[in-house]
Amino acid sequence: MPRAALPYEEPQLVDLLVIASFLYLLNVIRVVADYLLHAGIIAEITFSIIYGFPVANLLPIEWEATFTALGYLGLVLVVFEGGLSTNLPVLLSNLPLSIVCALTGISIPIGFSFALLNAGFGYKPLEAFAAGAALSSTSLGTALAALNSITRNRGATPAEKQPTHIASSIPSSPHQLPLQQTRIGTVLISAAIIDDVIGLVIASLIPALASVDPDSHGTSHGHLAWTVVRPLLSSFLIAVGASVIARFILRPAFWHCGTGERWCAPAREGKAWGACAFAREGSGWGTTAHADAVKLLAMVAVVSGMAAIANCQYIRSHASSSWNLVLYSTDTDTSVLYGAYLAGLILTYICQPPTGQRSSETARELSCDKTFARTVGPLQGHLFLPLFFASIGFAIPFLDLWHPTVIWRGILYSVLMCLAKLAVGLPILVYPVTLSLIRTTAYKLQELTHKTRSGGSRSLQSMATRISRSGRQPMGRTPTLPHTCPKSAIQEDEKIDSLRHGSLLENLDETSLGQAAASIPAATFMGIAMVSRGEIGLLIAQLARGNGSGETPGLLGDEAFLVCIWAILLCTLVGPIGTGVAVRFWGSRLASGLWV
Protein backbone atom coordinates (compact mmCIF):
# COMPACT_ATOMS: atom_id res chain seq x y z
CA MET A 1 0.00 0.00 0.00
CA PRO A 2 1.50 3.38 -0.93
CA ARG A 3 2.35 5.69 1.93
CA ALA A 4 -0.32 8.36 2.44
CA ALA A 5 1.78 10.67 4.59
CA LEU A 6 5.10 10.97 6.33
CA PRO A 7 4.87 9.24 9.68
CA TYR A 8 5.44 11.67 12.51
CA GLU A 9 8.15 10.36 14.81
CA GLU A 10 9.85 12.11 17.67
CA PRO A 11 13.46 12.93 16.68
CA GLN A 12 16.13 11.31 18.78
CA LEU A 13 17.87 13.49 21.34
CA VAL A 14 21.28 12.92 19.76
CA ASP A 15 20.04 14.17 16.39
CA LEU A 16 18.53 17.27 17.99
CA LEU A 17 21.74 18.04 19.86
CA VAL A 18 23.88 17.59 16.75
CA ILE A 19 21.79 19.85 14.54
CA ALA A 20 21.28 22.48 17.26
CA SER A 21 24.98 22.57 18.14
CA PHE A 22 25.95 22.79 14.48
CA LEU A 23 23.68 25.77 13.76
CA TYR A 24 24.59 27.55 17.00
CA LEU A 25 28.35 27.03 16.80
CA LEU A 26 28.35 27.95 13.12
CA ASN A 27 27.12 31.43 14.09
CA VAL A 28 29.33 31.72 17.19
CA ILE A 29 32.53 30.88 15.34
CA ARG A 30 31.64 33.38 12.61
CA VAL A 31 31.16 36.19 15.11
CA VAL A 32 34.46 35.41 16.85
CA ALA A 33 36.41 35.15 13.59
CA ASP A 34 34.81 38.37 12.30
CA TYR A 35 35.89 40.19 15.45
CA LEU A 36 39.47 38.90 15.37
CA LEU A 37 40.33 38.64 11.65
CA HIS A 38 37.30 39.75 9.61
CA ALA A 39 37.31 36.12 8.44
CA GLY A 40 33.96 34.70 9.52
CA ILE A 41 33.50 33.03 6.14
CA ILE A 42 36.73 31.08 6.56
CA ALA A 43 35.66 29.97 10.04
CA GLU A 44 32.34 28.67 8.70
CA ILE A 45 34.02 26.70 5.92
CA THR A 46 36.60 25.25 8.30
CA PHE A 47 33.99 24.35 10.92
CA SER A 48 31.82 22.55 8.35
CA ILE A 49 34.84 20.54 7.15
CA ILE A 50 35.39 19.33 10.72
CA TYR A 51 31.72 18.76 11.56
CA GLY A 52 30.65 17.24 8.27
CA PHE A 53 31.50 14.27 6.08
CA PRO A 54 35.16 15.07 5.30
CA VAL A 55 36.41 14.66 8.91
CA ALA A 56 34.15 13.91 11.90
CA ASN A 57 31.08 12.89 9.89
CA LEU A 58 28.67 14.01 12.62
CA LEU A 59 26.04 15.09 10.10
CA PRO A 60 24.17 12.47 8.05
CA ILE A 61 24.54 12.86 4.30
CA GLU A 62 20.81 13.65 3.99
CA TRP A 63 21.23 16.62 6.32
CA GLU A 64 24.21 17.87 4.35
CA ALA A 65 22.12 17.71 1.16
CA THR A 66 19.35 19.69 2.88
CA PHE A 67 21.82 22.26 4.23
CA THR A 68 23.32 22.58 0.73
CA ALA A 69 19.90 23.39 -0.74
CA LEU A 70 19.16 25.96 2.00
CA GLY A 71 22.65 27.42 1.57
CA TYR A 72 22.20 27.84 -2.16
CA LEU A 73 18.95 29.65 -1.43
CA GLY A 74 21.01 32.01 0.73
CA LEU A 75 23.41 32.56 -2.17
CA VAL A 76 20.51 33.37 -4.51
CA LEU A 77 19.18 35.86 -1.95
CA VAL A 78 22.52 37.61 -1.44
CA VAL A 79 22.96 38.00 -5.21
CA PHE A 80 19.38 39.27 -5.46
CA GLU A 81 20.13 41.83 -2.76
CA GLY A 82 23.21 42.84 -4.71
CA GLY A 83 20.92 43.68 -7.64
CA LEU A 84 18.58 45.63 -5.34
CA SER A 85 21.42 47.81 -4.08
CA THR A 86 23.11 48.40 -7.46
CA ASN A 87 23.33 51.94 -8.82
CA LEU A 88 21.82 51.51 -12.29
CA PRO A 89 23.29 54.64 -13.98
CA VAL A 90 26.77 53.75 -12.70
CA LEU A 91 26.34 50.14 -13.82
CA LEU A 92 25.42 51.08 -17.39
CA SER A 93 28.11 53.76 -17.75
CA ASN A 94 30.84 51.38 -16.54
CA LEU A 95 29.70 48.21 -18.31
CA PRO A 96 32.63 48.23 -20.82
CA LEU A 97 35.13 48.49 -17.96
CA SER A 98 33.36 45.63 -16.14
CA ILE A 99 33.56 43.46 -19.26
CA VAL A 100 37.29 44.16 -19.61
CA CYS A 101 37.86 43.26 -15.94
CA ALA A 102 35.80 40.07 -16.26
CA LEU A 103 37.61 38.92 -19.41
CA THR A 104 40.96 39.64 -17.72
CA GLY A 105 39.90 37.50 -14.76
CA ILE A 106 38.93 34.64 -17.06
CA SER A 107 41.72 34.58 -19.64
CA ILE A 108 44.73 34.94 -17.33
CA PRO A 109 43.84 31.99 -15.01
CA ILE A 110 43.27 29.73 -18.01
CA GLY A 111 46.55 30.86 -19.61
CA PHE A 112 48.51 30.37 -16.36
CA SER A 113 46.91 26.93 -15.95
CA PHE A 114 48.20 25.84 -19.34
CA ALA A 115 51.63 27.22 -18.49
CA LEU A 116 51.91 25.42 -15.13
CA LEU A 117 49.75 22.30 -15.32
CA ASN A 118 50.40 21.36 -18.94
CA ALA A 119 53.95 22.63 -19.53
CA GLY A 120 55.18 22.35 -15.92
CA PHE A 121 53.43 19.34 -14.36
CA GLY A 122 52.74 17.38 -17.56
CA TYR A 123 48.96 17.17 -17.26
CA LYS A 124 46.90 16.82 -20.42
CA PRO A 125 45.81 20.03 -22.19
CA LEU A 126 42.13 19.32 -21.45
CA GLU A 127 42.97 18.86 -17.77
CA ALA A 128 44.74 22.23 -17.76
CA PHE A 129 41.75 23.82 -19.47
CA ALA A 130 39.24 22.31 -17.02
CA ALA A 131 41.28 23.39 -13.98
CA GLY A 132 41.77 26.87 -15.41
CA ALA A 133 38.05 27.12 -16.13
CA ALA A 134 37.24 26.23 -12.52
CA LEU A 135 39.72 28.85 -11.27
CA SER A 136 38.51 31.53 -13.69
CA SER A 137 35.22 31.90 -11.80
CA THR A 138 34.57 34.39 -9.00
CA SER A 139 32.42 33.84 -5.94
CA LEU A 140 30.14 36.87 -5.89
CA GLY A 141 28.42 35.63 -2.74
CA THR A 142 31.71 35.28 -0.89
CA ALA A 143 32.89 38.75 -1.93
CA LEU A 144 29.62 40.42 -0.92
CA ALA A 145 29.40 38.55 2.35
CA ALA A 146 32.99 39.49 3.19
CA LEU A 147 32.25 43.18 2.59
CA ASN A 148 29.11 42.89 4.68
CA SER A 149 31.03 41.29 7.53
CA ILE A 150 33.71 44.00 7.43
CA THR A 151 31.11 46.76 7.44
CA ARG A 152 29.26 45.41 10.47
CA ASN A 153 32.44 45.33 12.50
CA ARG A 154 33.68 48.82 11.61
CA GLY A 155 31.04 50.70 13.53
CA ALA A 156 28.28 51.21 11.00
CA THR A 157 25.18 53.09 11.98
CA PRO A 158 22.29 51.07 13.44
CA ALA A 159 20.42 51.15 10.13
CA GLU A 160 23.51 49.79 8.39
CA LYS A 161 23.98 46.94 10.84
CA GLN A 162 21.28 44.82 9.26
CA PRO A 163 22.81 41.37 8.83
CA THR A 164 22.50 41.23 5.07
CA HIS A 165 22.78 44.85 4.02
CA ILE A 166 25.53 44.05 1.56
CA ALA A 167 28.67 46.10 1.95
CA SER A 168 26.72 48.96 3.47
CA SER A 169 29.52 51.50 3.45
CA ILE A 170 33.06 52.22 4.40
CA PRO A 171 32.37 54.51 7.31
CA SER A 172 34.09 57.81 6.98
CA SER A 173 31.28 60.32 6.63
CA PRO A 174 27.56 60.07 7.21
CA HIS A 175 26.79 61.10 3.62
CA GLN A 176 29.08 58.58 1.97
CA LEU A 177 27.49 56.26 -0.58
CA PRO A 178 27.30 52.55 0.21
CA LEU A 179 30.26 50.80 -1.36
CA GLN A 180 28.15 48.74 -3.76
CA GLN A 181 26.67 51.96 -5.18
CA THR A 182 30.06 53.52 -5.91
CA ARG A 183 31.82 53.05 -9.23
CA ILE A 184 34.38 50.54 -7.92
CA GLY A 185 31.72 48.53 -6.09
CA THR A 186 29.47 48.43 -9.14
CA VAL A 187 32.34 47.38 -11.42
CA LEU A 188 33.24 44.61 -8.93
CA ILE A 189 29.70 43.23 -8.73
CA SER A 190 29.03 43.34 -12.48
CA ALA A 191 32.43 41.83 -13.32
CA ALA A 192 31.80 38.97 -10.87
CA ILE A 193 28.35 38.40 -12.38
CA ILE A 194 29.88 38.23 -15.88
CA ASP A 195 32.49 35.79 -14.57
CA ASP A 196 29.74 33.59 -13.15
CA VAL A 197 27.74 33.64 -16.39
CA ILE A 198 30.81 32.64 -18.41
CA GLY A 199 31.67 30.10 -15.71
CA LEU A 200 28.26 28.47 -16.21
CA VAL A 201 28.90 28.47 -19.95
CA ILE A 202 32.15 26.60 -19.34
CA ALA A 203 30.36 24.27 -16.91
CA SER A 204 27.95 23.28 -19.66
CA LEU A 205 30.82 22.97 -22.13
CA ILE A 206 32.89 20.51 -20.06
CA PRO A 207 30.53 17.49 -20.29
CA ALA A 208 30.28 18.10 -24.04
CA LEU A 209 34.08 18.20 -24.32
CA ALA A 210 34.37 14.98 -22.33
CA SER A 211 31.86 13.18 -24.56
CA VAL A 212 33.16 14.37 -27.95
CA ASP A 213 34.45 11.53 -30.09
CA PRO A 214 37.84 12.59 -31.48
CA ASP A 215 37.24 10.50 -34.64
CA SER A 216 34.07 12.39 -35.55
CA HIS A 217 34.16 15.71 -37.33
CA GLY A 218 30.60 16.72 -38.05
CA THR A 219 27.77 16.24 -35.58
CA SER A 220 29.83 16.34 -32.37
CA HIS A 221 31.67 19.50 -33.28
CA GLY A 222 28.44 21.22 -34.38
CA HIS A 223 26.84 20.25 -31.07
CA LEU A 224 29.88 21.58 -29.22
CA ALA A 225 29.65 24.94 -31.00
CA TRP A 226 25.96 25.27 -30.13
CA THR A 227 26.75 24.31 -26.52
CA VAL A 228 29.12 27.28 -26.32
CA VAL A 229 26.90 29.80 -28.11
CA ARG A 230 23.57 28.92 -26.48
CA PRO A 231 24.23 30.16 -22.91
CA LEU A 232 25.81 33.41 -24.11
CA LEU A 233 22.96 34.09 -26.51
CA SER A 234 20.38 33.14 -23.87
CA SER A 235 21.94 35.44 -21.27
CA PHE A 236 21.97 38.36 -23.70
CA LEU A 237 18.38 37.80 -24.82
CA ILE A 238 17.15 37.44 -21.24
CA ALA A 239 18.80 40.74 -20.28
CA VAL A 240 17.32 42.53 -23.32
CA GLY A 241 13.87 41.05 -22.79
CA ALA A 242 13.87 41.89 -19.08
CA SER A 243 14.90 45.48 -19.85
CA VAL A 244 12.13 45.93 -22.42
CA ILE A 245 9.45 44.45 -20.14
CA ALA A 246 10.59 46.54 -17.17
CA ARG A 247 10.70 49.75 -19.22
CA PHE A 248 7.47 49.49 -21.18
CA ILE A 249 5.21 47.26 -19.05
CA LEU A 250 6.16 46.90 -15.39
CA ARG A 251 7.26 50.45 -14.60
CA PRO A 252 4.28 52.16 -16.32
CA ALA A 253 1.91 49.74 -14.57
CA PHE A 254 3.56 50.39 -11.20
CA TRP A 255 3.22 54.17 -11.49
CA HIS A 256 -0.18 54.22 -13.25
CA CYS A 257 -2.44 56.42 -11.10
CA GLY A 258 0.02 55.98 -8.22
CA THR A 259 -0.90 52.30 -7.78
CA GLY A 260 2.58 51.15 -6.77
CA GLU A 261 3.13 53.95 -4.28
CA ARG A 262 -0.35 53.43 -2.83
CA TRP A 263 0.37 49.79 -1.97
CA CYS A 264 4.15 49.74 -1.40
CA ALA A 265 4.54 52.89 0.74
CA PRO A 266 2.95 53.13 4.20
CA ALA A 267 0.04 55.46 4.85
CA ARG A 268 0.83 59.02 5.89
CA GLU A 269 -0.97 62.32 6.04
CA GLY A 270 -2.50 63.03 2.66
CA LYS A 271 -1.80 59.51 1.34
CA ALA A 272 -4.00 56.47 1.87
CA TRP A 273 -2.83 52.86 1.68
CA GLY A 274 -4.23 50.05 -0.41
CA ALA A 275 -7.78 49.72 -1.68
CA CYS A 276 -10.74 51.70 -0.43
CA ALA A 277 -11.62 49.15 2.24
CA PHE A 278 -8.17 49.52 3.79
CA ALA A 279 -7.92 53.30 3.33
CA ARG A 280 -10.57 54.23 5.87
CA GLU A 281 -9.33 56.31 8.73
CA GLY A 282 -8.86 54.26 11.88
CA SER A 283 -8.87 50.93 10.01
CA GLY A 284 -5.38 50.09 11.26
CA TRP A 285 -4.12 49.26 7.78
CA GLY A 286 -1.20 50.96 6.08
CA THR A 287 1.65 50.44 8.53
CA THR A 288 5.24 49.84 7.43
CA ALA A 289 4.73 46.12 8.05
CA HIS A 290 1.78 46.03 5.64
CA ALA A 291 3.73 47.88 2.93
CA ASP A 292 6.69 45.55 3.48
CA ALA A 293 4.42 42.54 3.02
CA VAL A 294 3.29 43.82 -0.39
CA LYS A 295 6.88 44.55 -1.49
CA LEU A 296 7.98 41.13 -0.23
CA LEU A 297 5.27 39.51 -2.36
CA ALA A 298 6.51 41.49 -5.37
CA MET A 299 10.12 40.44 -4.68
CA VAL A 300 9.17 36.76 -4.41
CA ALA A 301 7.21 36.94 -7.68
CA VAL A 302 9.93 38.74 -9.66
CA VAL A 303 12.89 36.71 -8.39
CA SER A 304 11.00 33.43 -8.86
CA GLY A 305 10.01 34.37 -12.41
CA MET A 306 13.49 35.49 -13.41
CA ALA A 307 15.11 32.42 -11.83
CA ALA A 308 12.67 30.17 -13.69
CA ILE A 309 13.42 31.94 -16.99
CA ALA A 310 17.17 31.84 -16.46
CA ASN A 311 17.06 28.15 -15.49
CA CYS A 312 14.40 27.30 -17.98
CA GLN A 313 13.52 23.64 -17.94
CA TYR A 314 14.68 21.70 -14.94
CA ILE A 315 17.22 21.33 -12.17
CA ARG A 316 19.47 18.35 -12.61
CA SER A 317 20.80 16.75 -9.45
CA HIS A 318 23.97 14.69 -9.28
CA ALA A 319 23.57 12.60 -6.15
CA SER A 320 27.05 11.09 -6.54
CA SER A 321 28.62 14.20 -4.99
CA SER A 322 28.02 15.94 -1.69
CA TRP A 323 27.83 19.11 -3.79
CA ASN A 324 24.58 17.82 -5.18
CA LEU A 325 22.80 20.93 -6.40
CA VAL A 326 24.19 21.37 -9.88
CA LEU A 327 22.18 24.08 -11.61
CA TYR A 328 22.02 24.17 -15.38
CA SER A 329 19.36 23.68 -17.97
CA THR A 330 19.08 21.95 -21.29
CA ASP A 331 17.31 24.99 -22.76
CA THR A 332 19.20 28.11 -21.70
CA ASP A 333 22.21 26.92 -19.67
CA THR A 334 22.17 30.21 -17.75
CA SER A 335 22.43 30.57 -14.01
CA VAL A 336 19.80 31.04 -11.34
CA LEU A 337 22.20 33.62 -9.90
CA TYR A 338 22.04 35.59 -13.14
CA GLY A 339 18.26 35.61 -13.00
CA ALA A 340 18.28 36.69 -9.34
CA TYR A 341 20.62 39.60 -10.08
CA LEU A 342 18.44 40.76 -12.99
CA ALA A 343 15.39 40.52 -10.72
CA GLY A 344 17.05 42.88 -8.25
CA LEU A 345 17.89 45.34 -11.03
CA ILE A 346 14.31 45.22 -12.34
CA LEU A 347 12.80 46.02 -8.93
CA THR A 348 15.33 48.80 -8.35
CA TYR A 349 14.37 50.39 -11.67
CA ILE A 350 10.62 49.96 -11.21
CA CYS A 351 10.53 51.50 -7.73
CA GLN A 352 12.56 54.61 -8.60
CA PRO A 353 10.19 57.60 -8.46
CA PRO A 354 9.66 59.52 -11.73
CA THR A 355 11.64 62.70 -12.23
CA GLY A 356 8.77 65.01 -11.27
CA GLN A 357 7.93 63.05 -8.10
CA ARG A 358 11.40 62.36 -6.72
CA SER A 359 11.93 62.96 -3.03
CA SER A 360 14.14 61.29 -0.48
CA GLU A 361 11.13 60.26 1.60
CA THR A 362 9.32 58.59 -1.31
CA ALA A 363 12.48 56.80 -2.47
CA ARG A 364 13.13 55.55 1.07
CA GLU A 365 9.56 54.29 1.53
CA LEU A 366 9.58 52.44 -1.81
CA SER A 367 13.07 50.96 -1.37
CA CYS A 368 12.98 47.17 -1.73
CA ASP A 369 16.53 47.08 -0.39
CA LYS A 370 15.43 48.40 3.00
CA THR A 371 12.42 46.05 3.06
CA PHE A 372 14.67 43.09 2.28
CA ALA A 373 17.00 44.02 5.14
CA ARG A 374 14.10 44.31 7.59
CA THR A 375 12.22 41.15 6.64
CA VAL A 376 14.58 38.56 5.15
CA GLY A 377 17.85 39.97 6.53
CA PRO A 378 17.91 38.37 10.00
CA LEU A 379 16.97 34.92 8.67
CA GLN A 380 19.53 35.14 5.89
CA GLY A 381 22.31 36.40 8.13
CA HIS A 382 21.91 33.69 10.77
CA LEU A 383 20.73 30.69 8.75
CA PHE A 384 20.94 30.79 4.95
CA LEU A 385 24.38 32.36 4.44
CA PRO A 386 26.13 30.33 7.17
CA LEU A 387 24.70 27.18 5.61
CA PHE A 388 25.91 28.27 2.18
CA PHE A 389 29.51 28.55 3.35
CA ALA A 390 29.11 25.34 5.31
CA SER A 391 28.04 23.58 2.10
CA ILE A 392 31.33 24.64 0.50
CA GLY A 393 33.13 22.86 3.35
CA PHE A 394 31.01 19.73 2.82
CA ALA A 395 32.17 19.54 -0.81
CA ILE A 396 35.93 19.61 -0.07
CA PRO A 397 37.61 16.15 0.01
CA PHE A 398 39.75 17.24 2.94
CA LEU A 399 41.49 13.95 3.80
CA ASP A 400 42.56 13.32 0.20
CA LEU A 401 44.42 16.63 -0.04
CA TRP A 402 47.43 15.64 2.08
CA HIS A 403 49.52 13.62 -0.34
CA PRO A 404 52.96 15.33 -0.53
CA THR A 405 52.90 15.82 -4.29
CA VAL A 406 49.36 17.17 -4.19
CA ILE A 407 50.28 19.57 -1.36
CA TRP A 408 53.21 21.34 -3.01
CA ARG A 409 51.63 21.40 -6.43
CA GLY A 410 48.36 22.65 -4.99
CA ILE A 411 50.02 25.44 -3.01
CA LEU A 412 52.11 26.54 -6.01
CA TYR A 413 49.03 26.51 -8.23
CA SER A 414 47.10 28.47 -5.59
CA VAL A 415 49.72 31.22 -5.52
CA LEU A 416 49.63 31.46 -9.31
CA MET A 417 45.82 31.63 -9.32
CA CYS A 418 45.82 34.38 -6.69
CA LEU A 419 48.20 36.40 -8.85
CA ALA A 420 46.02 35.74 -11.89
CA LYS A 421 42.97 37.25 -10.20
CA LEU A 422 44.97 40.14 -8.76
CA ALA A 423 45.63 41.09 -12.39
CA VAL A 424 41.95 42.10 -12.61
CA GLY A 425 43.03 45.31 -10.88
CA LEU A 426 45.22 46.28 -13.84
CA PRO A 427 42.34 47.65 -15.96
CA ILE A 428 41.34 49.78 -12.96
CA LEU A 429 44.89 51.12 -12.72
CA VAL A 430 45.14 51.79 -16.45
CA TYR A 431 41.67 53.33 -16.73
CA PRO A 432 42.69 56.94 -15.78
CA VAL A 433 45.62 56.88 -18.19
CA THR A 434 43.38 55.54 -20.96
CA LEU A 435 40.87 58.31 -20.32
CA SER A 436 43.67 60.87 -20.47
CA LEU A 437 44.95 59.46 -23.79
CA ILE A 438 41.45 59.61 -25.25
CA ARG A 439 41.02 63.22 -24.10
CA THR A 440 44.48 64.17 -25.40
CA THR A 441 43.79 62.59 -28.79
CA ALA A 442 40.43 64.33 -29.00
CA TYR A 443 42.02 67.66 -28.08
CA LYS A 444 44.78 67.24 -30.69
CA LEU A 445 42.22 66.45 -33.38
CA GLN A 446 40.20 69.49 -32.34
CA GLU A 447 43.29 71.69 -32.46
CA LEU A 448 44.27 70.32 -35.87
CA THR A 449 40.80 71.01 -37.24
CA HIS A 450 40.86 74.49 -35.74
CA LYS A 451 44.27 75.27 -37.26
CA THR A 452 43.20 74.02 -40.67
CA ARG A 453 40.10 76.17 -40.63
CA SER A 454 41.85 79.25 -39.23
CA GLY A 455 44.79 78.84 -41.62
CA GLY A 456 42.47 78.68 -44.60
CA SER A 457 40.47 81.72 -43.49
CA ARG A 458 43.66 83.73 -42.90
CA SER A 459 44.97 82.85 -46.40
CA LEU A 460 41.72 83.93 -47.97
CA GLN A 461 41.69 87.15 -45.96
CA SER A 462 45.33 87.96 -46.97
CA MET A 463 44.56 87.27 -50.63
CA ALA A 464 41.50 89.51 -50.55
CA THR A 465 43.54 92.30 -48.91
CA ARG A 466 46.25 92.08 -51.59
CA ILE A 467 43.71 92.17 -54.41
CA SER A 468 41.86 95.15 -52.97
CA ARG A 469 45.09 97.09 -52.38
CA SER A 470 46.52 96.23 -55.78
CA GLY A 471 43.33 97.56 -57.35
CA ARG A 472 43.93 100.99 -55.75
CA GLN A 473 47.56 101.32 -57.00
CA PRO A 474 48.33 103.50 -60.06
CA MET A 475 49.20 101.74 -63.28
CA GLY A 476 52.84 100.98 -63.79
CA ARG A 477 53.74 100.91 -60.13
CA THR A 478 54.47 97.75 -58.22
CA PRO A 479 52.08 97.40 -55.30
CA THR A 480 53.68 97.50 -51.89
CA LEU A 481 51.98 95.03 -49.59
CA PRO A 482 52.56 95.15 -45.85
CA HIS A 483 53.69 91.51 -45.53
CA THR A 484 55.43 92.01 -42.24
CA CYS A 485 52.45 92.95 -40.14
CA PRO A 486 50.07 90.10 -41.06
CA LYS A 487 52.86 87.49 -40.86
CA SER A 488 53.94 88.66 -37.40
CA ALA A 489 50.34 88.63 -36.22
CA ILE A 490 49.87 85.08 -37.52
CA GLN A 491 53.09 83.94 -35.86
CA GLU A 492 52.02 85.54 -32.58
CA ASP A 493 48.65 83.76 -32.73
CA GLU A 494 50.34 80.43 -33.46
CA LYS A 495 52.73 80.97 -30.56
CA ILE A 496 49.86 81.65 -28.17
CA ASP A 497 47.97 78.59 -29.43
CA SER A 498 51.06 76.44 -29.04
CA LEU A 499 51.64 77.61 -25.47
CA ARG A 500 47.98 77.04 -24.59
CA HIS A 501 48.07 73.59 -26.24
CA GLY A 502 51.23 72.57 -24.38
CA SER A 503 49.87 73.82 -21.07
CA LEU A 504 46.62 71.89 -21.45
CA LEU A 505 48.42 68.69 -22.45
CA GLU A 506 50.78 69.06 -19.49
CA ASN A 507 47.80 69.50 -17.15
CA LEU A 508 46.12 66.44 -18.64
CA ASP A 509 49.27 64.36 -18.13
CA GLU A 510 49.64 65.50 -14.53
CA THR A 511 45.97 64.82 -13.84
CA SER A 512 46.10 61.33 -15.35
CA LEU A 513 49.21 60.42 -13.36
CA GLY A 514 47.61 61.72 -10.17
CA GLN A 515 44.41 59.78 -10.84
CA ALA A 516 46.40 56.63 -11.64
CA ALA A 517 48.25 56.94 -8.32
CA ALA A 518 44.96 57.54 -6.49
CA SER A 519 43.51 54.43 -8.19
CA ILE A 520 46.06 52.07 -6.60
CA PRO A 521 43.82 51.31 -3.56
CA ALA A 522 40.78 50.71 -5.78
CA ALA A 523 42.78 48.50 -8.18
CA THR A 524 44.24 46.44 -5.32
CA PHE A 525 40.83 46.07 -3.70
CA MET A 526 39.29 44.99 -7.01
CA GLY A 527 41.92 42.30 -7.54
CA ILE A 528 41.74 40.95 -3.99
CA ALA A 529 37.93 40.87 -3.93
CA MET A 530 37.93 38.77 -7.13
CA VAL A 531 40.29 36.13 -5.68
CA SER A 532 37.56 34.06 -3.97
CA ARG A 533 36.34 31.15 -6.12
CA GLY A 534 33.81 29.29 -3.98
CA GLU A 535 30.70 27.64 -5.33
CA ILE A 536 31.11 28.04 -9.11
CA GLY A 537 34.70 26.79 -8.99
CA LEU A 538 33.64 23.67 -7.07
CA LEU A 539 30.78 23.11 -9.49
CA ILE A 540 33.06 23.23 -12.56
CA ALA A 541 35.68 21.03 -10.89
CA GLN A 542 33.07 18.39 -9.97
CA LEU A 543 31.67 18.40 -13.51
CA ALA A 544 35.16 18.13 -14.97
CA ARG A 545 35.94 15.15 -12.74
CA GLY A 546 32.86 13.15 -13.77
CA ASN A 547 31.24 10.66 -11.40
CA GLY A 548 34.39 8.61 -10.86
CA SER A 549 32.72 5.33 -11.93
CA GLY A 550 33.33 5.64 -15.66
CA GLU A 551 29.64 6.11 -16.51
CA THR A 552 30.10 9.87 -16.91
CA PRO A 553 33.43 10.73 -18.54
CA GLY A 554 35.56 13.46 -17.01
CA LEU A 555 38.41 15.72 -18.04
CA LEU A 556 40.24 15.92 -14.70
CA GLY A 557 42.23 13.01 -13.31
CA ASP A 558 42.33 12.38 -9.55
CA GLU A 559 45.59 14.23 -8.91
CA ALA A 560 44.69 17.19 -11.14
CA PHE A 561 41.30 17.39 -9.41
CA LEU A 562 42.90 17.55 -5.95
CA VAL A 563 45.40 20.20 -7.10
CA CYS A 564 42.45 22.19 -8.42
CA ILE A 565 40.59 21.79 -5.09
CA TRP A 566 43.68 23.06 -3.24
CA ALA A 567 43.66 26.22 -5.34
CA ILE A 568 39.90 26.76 -4.93
CA LEU A 569 40.13 26.26 -1.16
CA LEU A 570 43.12 28.53 -0.57
CA CYS A 571 41.81 31.26 -2.87
CA THR A 572 38.44 31.16 -1.10
CA LEU A 573 40.25 31.49 2.24
CA VAL A 574 42.65 34.25 1.13
CA GLY A 575 40.02 36.40 -0.62
CA PRO A 576 37.94 37.46 2.42
CA ILE A 577 41.00 38.05 4.61
CA GLY A 578 42.67 40.16 1.91
CA THR A 579 39.46 42.13 1.38
CA GLY A 580 39.27 42.87 5.09
CA VAL A 581 42.90 44.00 5.22
CA ALA A 582 42.41 46.27 2.19
CA VAL A 583 39.30 47.91 3.67
CA ARG A 584 40.93 48.42 7.07
CA PHE A 585 44.14 49.81 5.54
CA TRP A 586 42.70 52.17 2.93
CA GLY A 587 39.21 52.89 4.26
CA SER A 588 37.40 55.61 2.31
CA ARG A 589 40.28 55.91 -0.20
CA LEU A 590 38.90 52.80 -1.93
CA ALA A 591 35.99 54.85 -3.28
CA SER A 592 37.53 58.26 -3.88
CA GLY A 593 38.29 60.32 -6.95
CA LEU A 594 37.20 58.53 -10.12
CA TRP A 595 35.76 55.60 -8.17
CA VAL A 596 33.07 57.36 -6.13
Side-chain angles (χ1 to χ4, degrees), residues 307-319:
I309 293 171
N311 193 43
C312 185
Q313 190 173 11
Y314 64 89
I315 296 175
R316 180 178 297 174
S317 177
H318 291 271

Side-chain angles (χ1 to χ4, degrees), residues 487-506:
K487 185 179 291 186
S488 62
I490 293 172
Q491 290 176 348
E492 187 68 22
D493 290 342
E494 290 178 349
K495 183 177 180 181
I496 293 173
D497 290 341
S498 177
L499 291 174
R500 185 185 299 115
H501 176 72
S503 177
L504 287 175
L505 290 182
E506 185 178 351

